[in-house]
Amino acid sequence: MSVLNDIKLKAKELLEKGDVDVVIGYAKGTLNGKCTPYFVRNANDVENLVWENGCDINLANYLLKISDKAAVIAKGCDTRSIVNLVKENQLDRERVVIIGASCPSTESCQKCNHPDPVIADVFLQGETKVNNDDFSDLESFSKLPSEERRNYIYKEVSKCIRCYACRNVCPACYCKECFVEENLPAWIGKTTNTSDNMIFHLTRAIHVAGRCVGCGECVRACPMGVDLSILNRKIMKDVKELFNVESGLDLDTKLPLNDYKEDDPQYFLIGGEKCE
Amino acid sequence: MDRKIIAFLCNWCSYAGADLAGVSRFQYPANLRIVRVPCSGRVDPLFIFTALKNADGVLVAGCHPGDCHYTSGNLVARRKFALTKSLLEFIGIEDGRVQFDWISAAEGNRFAETATKVVEDVEKLEEWDRWGGEK
Ligand code: SF4
Ligand code: SF4
Ligand code: SF4
Ligand code: FES
């Protein structure tokens, strides 16, 4: 309650002083236990803000859709996406006031080791969760016979109707022209055959490598219940193990896929060592 | 069994290496379809995934580290390749299906050897379902 009060006070102050044109946060959703993104432009409307379990949507993406000076109420993943967007020159840090607060979501955010904001202009300390995501799900998956693994992924992608909601909500997928829409050349078929769906999902997973923050937005947005977070998580683990980088933790570390070291591992070469 | 392999070769080293293999009359199987790319750094893993919709295997080759015509194209590329290879393995794609190598313009012999190895490896694998094909 007190964190919510602090959020409201801060939002009100920023709007009344004219420091920002809009505060992006959450209001109660229409479904029980769900919260919806909420844009406050009038200081009186701060009363509608909420901060509770169900405030899980990654708000960073909205900052790209508006050009006003904005404040955003941000938990761990939002701030990590913001860090990446600033590093990729998609977002002007000066245009955004970050009201940071510890993630209030308990259900959908268990596989997250960074519930607290990594950057903030004001940090409203709440109760900090301690999660310990050790990627054990990947380990058990890896132990399955290869055929079973492949079939699992095929089955998951075959549900996909290629609406691209997952891409549209992803804060790492902001390309003005995504490869799926390019026509000359057409990189990928427009069908929803397993093959085209595989190409879409594998490519997207690799495109967001080192930039995905594991916010889960892509899974939440999917109308067909497709959950391929295991692909993103596998890449996240590899990026950490091979290049020693975790996505979006600070403004200084270079994006891992824009960087290299002379002695980067080369197990992928013919005759190379196998990766863990 | 006529298996098709798509080879993405960088213009400055591996493509020249393939050319040298030809000029030197080093034999390698005709299953390879070569796509010349400006640099291994140009190889979006998308190319590999899409190639596998229409072919049975993929070879990607570029200049040796330190020799890239654009200095660091292959050094940035190898991080992508490392992740791609690992991801493919993770989802149950055989090790031989997609292979990577560094081959210089002077290594005509090595190109022929690598090409032969990749073709032989892919021929040993079970028939590829081309990403599950049509639903
Ligand atoms: S899938 Fe790739 S091309 Fe499409 S928006 Fe995301 S990063 Fe850009
Ligand atoms: S890929 Fe999914 S989990 Fe990763 S940043 Fe994008 S929306 Fe979030
Ligand atoms: S949101 Fe779901 S159905 Fe739509 S493209 Fe993404 S995975 Fe496919
Ligand atoms: S030019 Fe050959 S790898 Fe860059």
Side-chain angles (χ1 to χ4, degrees):
Chain A
M1 189 63 204
S2 67
V3 175
L4 177 58
N5 258 344
D6 293 346
I7 288 174
K8 287 179 181 172
L9 284 175
K10 189 71 206 170
K12 201 165 180 168
E13 178 196 321
L14 289 167
L15 285 164
E16 277 173 353
K17 278 211 242 147
D19 288 350
V20 301
D21 305 311
V22 59
V23 176
I24 307 175
Y26 303 91
K28 277 245 181 279
T30 41
L31 291 173
N32 210 3
K34 296 270 176 203
C35 301
T36 190
Y38 186 61
F39 285 52
V40 190
R41 289 182 182 276
N42 181 330
N44 295 330
D45 293 339
V46 299
E47 288 313 319
N48 297 331
L49 287 168
V50 295
W51 190 251
E52 61 194 33
N53 182 32
C55 293
D56 46 17
I57 289 175
N58 188 332
L59 300 176
N61 207 8
Y62 295 105
L63 295 169
L64 301 180
K65 319 264 180 203
I66 53 170
S67 49
D68 323 45
K69 191 146 171 37
V72 60
I73 302 158
K75 52 200 154 30
C77 59
D78 315 68
T79 58
R80 292 172 71 196
S81 293
I82 290 170
V83 163
N84 286 340
L85 290 169
V86 170
K87 285 203 272 201
E88 296 179 306
N89 298 321
Q90 299 301 312
L91 187 65
D92 180 2
R93 176 70 183 86
E94 302 300 306
R95 184 166 68 78
V96 182
V97 177
I98 302 173
I99 306 172
S102 309
C103 177
S105 277
T106 45
E107 272 144 47
S108 69
C109 301
Q110 272 155 10
K111 287 196 193 109
C112 166
N113 285 337
H114 302 282
D116 279 354
V118 296
I119 48 165
D121 296 300
V122 248
F123 177 38
L124 308 174
Q125 179 86 47
E127 213 178 298
T128 300
K129 296 179 286 180
V130 188
N131 292 349
N132 192 7
D133 178 20
D134 54 2
F135 293 107
S136 51
D137 52 329
L138 302 182
E139 233 169 88
S140 356
F141 186 76
S142 291
K143 287 201 187 107
L144 300 172
S146 59
E147 183 137 338
E148 222 171 288
R149 279 180 274 147
R150 210 203 292 180
N151 286 335
Y152 171 84
I153 304 287
Y154 282 177
K155 202 165 151 240
E156 206 56 35
V157 305
S158 66
K159 296 190 251 173
C160 170
I161 55 170
R162 297 279 288 284
C163 65
Y164 304 132
C166 49
R167 176 206 61 184
N168 294 349
V169 295
C170 174
C173 272
Y174 49 73
C175 300
K176 292 271 181 294
E177 198 175 355
C178 175
F179 78 97
V180 299
E181 273 119 13
E182 282 181 342
N183 284 319
L184 285 171
W187 299 105
I188 176 173
K190 305 269 186 233
T191 75
T192 51
N193 293 342
T194 306
S195 55
D196 286 330
N197 285 358
M198 279 300 290
I199 295 167
F200 168 56
H201 287 289
L202 290 178
T203 304
R204 199 179 87 78
I206 286 284
H207 280 187
V208 299
R211 309 188 297 124
C212 165
V213 297
C215 63
E217 213 40 60
C218 46
V219 178
R220 280 191 287 270
C222 179
M224 305 306 290
V226 176
D227 184 349
L228 290 163
S229 53
I230 197 162
L231 301 180
N232 300 110
R233 287 170 57 70
K234 167 64 179 161
I235 295 173
M236 214 180 278
K237 178 167 179 269
D238 282 348
V239 167
K240 190 165 178 202
E241 279 169 13
L242 299 172
F243 316 130
N244 199 21
V245 179
E246 265 187 273
S247 178
L249 291 192
D250 62 74
L251 282 163
D252 304 318
T253 313
K254 270 187 153 186
L255 290 155
L257 280 260
N258 287 6
D259 197 15
Y260 62 86
K261 290 213 165 67
E262 298 297 331
D263 60 350
D264 274 333
Q266 300 206 101
Y267 72 88
F268 62 92
L269 290 178
I270 290 174
E273 316 254 291
K274 273 228 160 155
C275 182
E276 262 299 288
Chain B
M1 237 177 343
D2 211 10
R3 297 213 162 157
K4 197 171 19 169
I5 316 287
I6 310 279
F8 296 101
L9 308 180
C10 100
N11 176 53
W12 301 96
C13 289
S14 309
Y15 187 84
D19 200 31
L20 181 63
V23 172
S24 323
R25 301 185 176 252
F26 295 131
Q27 294 290 323
Y28 64 90
N31 310 48
L32 237 60
R33 310 297 145 88
I34 293 175
V35 179
R36 179 162 61 150
V37 290
C39 171
S40 62
R42 176 62 184 101
V43 180
D44 184 330
L46 160 65
F47 299 1
I48 301 170
F49 305 142
T50 288
L52 285 174
K53 187 181 164 185
N54 299 299
D56 305 287
V58 173
L59 166 66
V60 181
C63 313
H64 288 270
D67 291 346
C68 173
H69 190 72
Y70 310 98
T71 315
S72 57
N74 54 1
L75 297 178
V76 173
R78 70 180 173 179
R79 288 197 160 189
K80 277 189 290 193
F81 298 162
L83 297 176
T84 303
K85 182 83 179 171
S86 174
L87 185 67
L88 288 171
E89 219 236 285
F90 183 69
I91 62 167
I93 306 302
E94 312 89 326
D95 191 37
R97 187 81 62 200
V98 176
Q99 305 199 40
F100 299 86
D101 205 4
W102 307 131
I103 301 172
S104 80
E107 292 175 312
N109 201 9
R110 177 174 173 150
F111 177 80
E113 278 169 17
T114 302
T116 308
K117 175 190 164 14
V118 172
V119 171
E120 282 174 4
D121 286 351
V122 172
E123 276 173 349
K124 272 184 236 143
L125 300 176
E126 270 178 43
E127 201 179 332
W128 169 234
D129 66 4
R130 304 199 170 177
W131 293 132
E134 314 218 336
K135 193 145 51 182

